[in-house]
Amino acid sequence: MIRAIAEQLLPIGGPLALPDTLTRGIPGEVVGNVPLPGLSGGLETTVLASSVDFRALIDFPDWTAQVFIYAGLCLLVLGLMAWLGSHRLQRRAWGRRLALSGGGLFVVGSAWSTFLNLLTYVLG
């Protein structure tokens, strides 16, 4: 069954085809590595999620807000220059995306404590 599915997904032919002697053990390896049905339930996920300390994950250095502000301002200025100064539609769209990304970084850096509070609330 696994060989039939693999042949449908990845039709390989010609000089790159693998001989049958090399692919004979692949189905046994795949079937042997599949976990039992009871081991991938919701209990293990709950135990793993409860053991992660999300506060330690969002413990950023003090200068992170300044980096967000300055990077956002640089991207905003460069994006506005590309957006408003170009005549090609592709470059204008690229500049608009760059300017909006810079504006988003600037807003996040300006309201850094609010952003951290939101992350703490979402991560539990």
Side-chain angles (χ1 to χ4, degrees):
M1 181 174 100
I2 294 174
R3 183 181 296 263
I5 292 172
E7 287 176 359
Q8 288 177 0
L9 294 177
L10 301 170
I12 299 174
L16 296 177
L18 296 174
D20 189 43
T21 56
L22 293 177
T23 59
R24 191 174 296 143
I26 292 176
E29 287 290 323
V30 172
V31 172
N33 291 330
V34 174
L36 297 175
L39 296 177
S40 60
L43 180 63
E44 289 83 6
T45 307
T46 306
V47 169
L48 285 175
S50 64
S51 65
V52 175
D53 183 21
F54 289 112
R55 289 215 183 259
L57 291 176
I58 58 174
D59 186 26
F60 295 104
D62 296 334
W63 46 266
T64 309
Q66 294 295 322
V67 169
F68 270 70
I69 290 173
Y70 290 133
L73 283 176
C74 290
L75 290 178
L76 180 67
V77 169
L78 289 173
L80 285 175
M81 287 169 42
W83 185 11
L84 301 175
S86 179
H87 297 293
R88 295 180 61 197
L89 292 177
Q90 183 181 7
R91 201 163 285 166
R92 287 177 66 96
W94 176 80
R96 184 179 64 238
R97 286 192 302 264
L98 194 63
L100 291 176
S101 299
L105 284 177
F106 177 74
V107 168
V108 167
S110 298
W112 184 249
S113 62
T114 305
F115 180 71
L116 286 181
N117 289 340
L118 179 66
L119 273 179
T120 306
Y121 176 75
V122 168
L123 294 176

